Amino acid sequence: MPLHGDYLEMSWESLKSSSRYIFLGRSSLRRLAVLAVFFLLALGLLLVYRFLVGGGRAPVQAPVNVSLPTPAGNVSVVDSDGDGIPDDLERVYGTDPYRPNYLLAYALGKLPEEEALLFKNVEDFNESSRGLVDLYASLPREKRGSIEVAMLLGQILSDNIVCEAERRLFEAKFVNPSRLEIVGLNWTPTRVVLDKIYDINVTFTARDDKTPLVYAELRLIPVEYYYMIEKYGMRQEDYPKVFPPDKERVYNLTPIDGKFDSLEEKFSLQIKDIVGGREYKIVALVRDLAGNEHRAELDLPYIRQYENFGKVLFDKGVIVMAVYLPFDMSSIPRKDDDPLLGRYDTISDIVLMKHVDWATGYGVNVFLLDSQNHWWPGIMVKVFTICRALLSTGQVKVAWLMGPSIRHFTYGKQGGDIPEWAIDLSLPRNNETFIWFVQMLMRFADNENYLRIDGKPVLYIWDEGAFFNQAGTYRAVKAMFGDKVYIIADWFPRIPTMPSDEYFQFVLKKYRGDGLRVVDAFTGWIGLHQVGLYTEEYVNKYEFYYAKQLDAWYWFTKDWGKDFIVTVAPGFDNSYSWGGPQVPLPRGADLFKKRLEIALKYLDPRLPILKIDTWNDWGEWSYFEPTVKEGFVYLETLKSLLEEYIENRRG
């Protein structure tokens, strides 16, 4: 405790009395020794007093009179420790008026009183502590009052010491934030089986210009498509059938070198066993010592759910085609079922990717894309966009389908026996129109994923039987590409017409035979089913007549030296959409299996091509894509029989 004046005065009187006694009773040397002892004792007491008053930090300065302005004029007050804070105020603040608190005085000059008092217990007044006050004072008042600032400042001041690292931390967090960045966020597939990506490796580098990095994480987030429930009417219970459930994954990362110890860290992460069937998003987040965070995102393309079985078949020389309609299904009539995807629009990227994933996963390797040329130019941009999207996947081959168009060609009799439903390509207008269609479509033929047979890009002519006197036009088409176009003519008559029929032979010899000799392959449509009201016999015994028809036209095709492409259909009925009254060709998994078994027997050994009519024509009941009621049963049937076919073919 401080030593007061009375106590000091008494001590010095005692010291004097003792000195007289000693002088009277001892020799001079003895007296000097005793005087020295008492002098040292008094000096020690004085030093103890000054130490206690000064708090051990600095010598007590002489009291200083501080002049403070008041309404009545300047008032002189006492500042015992000379730190610029009057003693009375120090007592109010709870600080020692005899112990200099220069940092508090500095803070009071920079901040409102209640904020300056946050620094009252800091022990040292140096560049770091003073700098912290400056940084804090530079913030807007509302920012200084935030929770995050209060928390960090409280942590720094908790031990009543401010070091330079803490000052820099505060600066990097709130005043001059660190420039934290993520560069080179990238991914690479590391395990891929038949286009199905199972594992990937993700790499990136994080950099901070001021503050060391202390944390990093990476998230693999599956993209959800709940909008399809509302937009396309997909049933909620079907959503997990379309998009297999997958959870977000969170990985806490360690730098490649094993520890966080620098302003730049490199990261690498292996992610395994991705479910697929959707797109994914990669989100990388890093944090520095100041608490600054930075994130970067990377969108992954659609990752397949299924391995590409269609590619296996294609590599073995087996082509499985499916006719693809570029429809907006919201406007297409449906009979008794709905797509599993809902009433979709094929312009949607995710719809296209699901179709490619499903179709190729079960054996299809070619989409014959219906150009809808009879609706040009209105739909032309849309179908071209869809074609580009399908080609860009690199997972399915694409070829164009084109056909007659009442809007563009001249129909009817032209001097003789040509029927009203026929198009005479010897007419200049019809010839020019046909060639224009081909020129527009075959601009896509240079793409590596456009279907080629025998090295030639494929052009499929639907309802080719409607074109008469076509030889000159077909030769002109081939000449445009240096005779490197593979033309498929879809023209076989329906059940029960046979090659020996008189009228067929008449038309063939007079109007169509020369043109058919120019094309490369023959085929028919919807399994050669005869559409009409008086076809009960052929529908009830369809599988019998189907096999008979395939056999007859297979040998006819071989006699002509052409490739034979087998057509098969899940079913057919367009009486509810744009067709007339008819006897529908029944659907069913068992019926589809029987028809496929027949079709596979007639695949051309040199060039086995199966054509399924169709993937998604909901207006004609001929679809085999996954549905609400039938699910994946048609695809499962197809894959099972194709696996058996290639096994037997190998044997």
Side-chain angles (χ1 to χ4, degrees):
M1 61 183 296
L3 301 179
H4 297 289
D6 293 342
Y7 184 82
L8 282 175
E9 188 175 328
M10 179 185 64
S11 300
W12 279 107
E13 288 299 325
S14 300
L15 181 60
K16 292 177 183 178
S17 300
S18 300
S19 298
R20 289 193 198 101
Y21 174 78
I22 294 170
F23 274 113
L24 292 174
R26 298 289 186 271
S27 66
S28 297
L29 184 61
R30 182 70 172 171
R31 286 196 299 270
L32 288 173
V34 171
L35 285 173
V37 170
F38 278 95
F39 176 77
L40 291 173
L41 178 62
L43 180 61
L45 290 173
L46 179 61
L47 290 174
V48 168
Y49 167 76
R50 296 191 67 178
F51 180 83
L52 292 175
V53 172
R57 290 169 44 186
V60 178
Q61 299 183 10
V64 176
N65 290 327
V66 179
S67 180
L68 296 178
T70 69
N74 290 343
V75 176
S76 181
V77 295
V78 176
D79 176 14
S80 297
D81 52 16
D83 58 8
I85 307 173
D87 291 3
D88 290 342
L89 278 181
E90 293 224 40
R91 293 186 182 95
V92 173
Y93 296 158
T95 57
D96 190 342
Y98 301 104
R99 181 179 181 182
N101 196 327
Y102 297 116
L103 185 64
L104 176 58
Y106 186 77
L108 286 167
K110 296 278 187 176
L111 295 162
E113 183 180 67
E114 67 276 10
E115 294 183 85
L117 289 173
L118 296 171
F119 299 88
K120 71 177 185 178
N121 294 322
V122 176
E123 296 180 359
D124 296 315
F125 181 61
N126 52 32
E127 290 186 6
S128 298
S129 60
R130 187 170 61 251
L132 180 62
V133 172
D134 290 338
L135 293 171
Y136 180 76
S138 70
L139 298 176
R141 184 154 190 173
E142 60 273 16
K143 181 68 173 177
R144 298 201 300 267
S146 67
I147 294 177
E148 57 179 350
V149 170
M151 289 182 63
L152 181 57
L153 186 65
Q155 292 173 3
I156 293 174
L157 301 180
S158 62
D159 61 355
N160 299 328
I161 297 173
V162 178
C163 66
E164 181 60 18
E166 291 171 325
R167 186 202 66 78
R168 289 198 303 267
L169 179 65
F170 190 89
E171 179 181 14
K173 178 66 176 176
F174 299 118
V175 182
N176 297 308
S178 301
R179 188 168 64 85
L180 182 59
E181 62 178 352
I182 293 173
V183 297
L185 180 59
N186 198 10
W187 71 287
T188 305
T190 55
R191 183 164 69 98
V192 183
V193 181
L194 295 171
D195 294 332
K196 159 64 177 171
I197 297 173
Y198 287 98
D199 303 340
I200 64 174
N201 189 68
V202 181
T203 57
F204 67 91
T205 299
R207 294 173 183 156
D208 195 304
D209 64 339
K210 297 177 182 177
T211 313
L213 299 163
V214 296
Y215 177 78
E217 72 175 30
L218 188 134
R219 295 173 181 263
L220 180 68
I221 304 173
V223 174
E224 300 294 352
Y225 307 90
Y226 297 122
Y227 71 88
M228 296 182 73
I229 296 174
E230 180 177 351
K231 184 174 183 179
Y232 298 140
M234 178 193 294
R235 300 192 313 169
Q236 194 162 0
E237 59 266 37
D238 290 333
Y239 184 87
K241 300 176 185 176
V242 176
F243 302 105
D246 198 2
K247 295 181 179 179
E248 177 179 337
R249 307 189 198 183
V250 181
Y251 302 90
N252 291 330
L253 303 180
T254 300
I256 291 177
D257 63 6
K259 57 183 177 179
F260 289 95
D261 57 2
S262 67
L263 298 179
E264 179 176 300
E265 302 288 1
K266 297 181 183 295
F267 301 92
S268 179
L269 175 68
Q270 186 83 357
I271 300 177
K272 297 185 176 182
D273 301 321
I274 298 174
V275 174
R278 65 179 71 235
E279 298 162 301
Y280 289 83
K281 183 186 294 291
I282 291 174
V283 178
L285 181 143
V286 294
R287 185 183 305 132
D288 64 16
L289 186 62
N292 297 306
E293 291 185 348
H294 181 73
R295 69 176 58 219
E297 297 184 0
L298 180 65
D299 293 329
L300 300 189
Y302 181 92
I303 293 181
R304 296 176 59 96
Q305 178 181 357
Y306 300 100
E307 295 179 7
N308 193 335
F309 179 53
K311 179 171 284 188
V312 173
L313 295 170
F314 196 84
D315 291 344
K316 294 180 180 295
V318 179
I319 297 176
V320 181
M321 300 175 169
V323 176
Y324 191 89
L325 284 302
F327 288 163
D328 177 352
M329 293 302 168
S330 65
S331 61
I332 301 298
R334 286 165 301 282
K335 183 175 181 178
D336 54 10
D337 204 348
D338 269 305
L340 195 63
L341 282 169
R343 299 175 185 182
Y344 58 79
D345 189 344
T346 50
I347 198 66
S348 164
D349 287 340
I350 189 62
V351 168
L352 290 175
M353 289 310 306
K354 293 306 295 189
H355 282 170
V356 170
D357 192 357
W358 287 341
T360 59
Y362 286 91
V364 174
N365 45 37
V366 176
F367 274 156
L368 286 175
L369 178 57
D370 186 351
S371 67
Q372 295 283 292
N373 60 289
H374 51 285
W375 291 113
W376 284 17
I379 199 173
M380 185 166 61
V381 173
K382 178 178 181 178
V383 295
F384 284 3
T385 300
I386 291 172
C387 183
R388 290 189 188 94
L390 290 172
L391 289 169
S392 69
T393 68
Q395 298 173 12
V396 66
K397 299 296 182 182
V398 180
W400 281 116
L401 176 153
M402 62 165 286
S405 168
I406 198 168
R407 301 177 65 193
H408 300 88
F409 293 106
T410 298
Y411 281 71
K413 296 182 178 180
Q414 298 292 329
D417 302 317
I418 294 179
E420 294 180 356
W421 48 263
I423 301 169
D424 188 350
L425 288 181
S426 66
L427 295 178
R429 179 178 184 274
N430 287 342
N431 176 70
E432 292 169 4
T433 299
F434 191 98
I435 290 176
W436 178 74
F437 278 136
V438 173
Q439 287 175 327
M440 296 299 291
L441 294 172
M442 299 307 285
R443 293 185 302 173
F444 294 83
D446 289 336
N447 189 289
E448 62 180 348
N449 295 312
Y450 192 90
L451 176 64
R452 285 172 172 74
I453 296 178
D454 294 338
K456 304 174 182 179
V458 171
L459 176 66
Y460 183 102
I461 305 175
W462 174 77
D463 196 13
E464 194 275 339
F467 294 109
F468 281 30
N469 299 320
Q470 71 279 49
T473 302
Y474 291 175
R475 290 192 185 99
V477 167
K478 289 211 167 190
M480 288 163 47
F481 300 94
D483 199 33
K484 292 192 178 298
V485 177
Y486 187 94
I487 299 177
I488 300 174
D490 167 3
W491 70 278
F492 284 152
R494 309 293 179 85
I495 296 170
T497 302
M498 288 291 172
S500 58
D501 284 8
E502 184 177 349
Y503 181 72
F504 167 77
Q505 286 293 331
F506 167 75
V507 173
L508 182 66
K509 292 175 182 177
K510 187 168 184 178
Y511 298 109
R512 292 189 31 78
D514 288 345
L516 288 176
R517 295 191 187 281
V518 179
V519 305
D520 300 272
F522 295 164
T523 189
W525 186 247
I526 55 168
L528 307 176
H529 165 62
Q530 181 68 263
V531 180
L533 270 177
Y534 308 104
T535 60
E536 291 93 345
E537 165 72 14
Y538 309 123
V539 169
N540 292 338
K541 298 180 180 179
Y542 172 75
E543 283 70 34
F544 167 76
Y545 284 104
Y546 175 55
K548 184 178 179 181
Q549 200 80 354
L550 285 180
D551 188 74
W553 291 103
Y554 174 84
W555 292 111
F556 174 90
T557 302
K558 293 293 102 181
D559 289 343
W560 277 59
K562 305 299 179 183
D563 294 328
F564 182 72
I565 297 176
V566 180
T567 170
V568 64
F572 187 87
D573 181 15
N574 63 7
S575 62
Y576 61 91
S577 54
W578 40 77
Q582 60 194 268
V583 178
L585 178 64
R587 292 178 60 90
D590 291 340
L591 292 174
F592 187 54
K593 181 179 180 182
K594 290 178 182 178
R595 295 166 193 170
L596 277 174
E597 289 172 340
I598 295 169
L600 292 173
K601 292 178 182 178
Y602 287 94
L603 293 187
D604 191 328
R606 184 193 82 83
L607 186 62
I609 304 178
L610 175 69
K611 178 174 67 76
I612 307 173
D613 305 321
T614 64
W615 171 258
N616 63 335
D617 195 341
W618 286 83
E620 296 192 343
W621 214 46
S622 59
Y623 50 83
F624 73 104
E625 70 165 307
T627 77
V628 169
K629 293 182 179 179
E630 296 173 316
F632 288 76
V633 64
Y634 288 88
L635 290 174
E636 291 165 351
T637 300
L638 174 65
K639 184 176 183 181
S640 175
L641 291 178
L642 288 173
E643 288 176 332
E644 184 179 325
Y645 172 79
I646 59 174
E647 184 64 28
N648 293 337
R649 190 165 183 254
R650 183 175 61 183

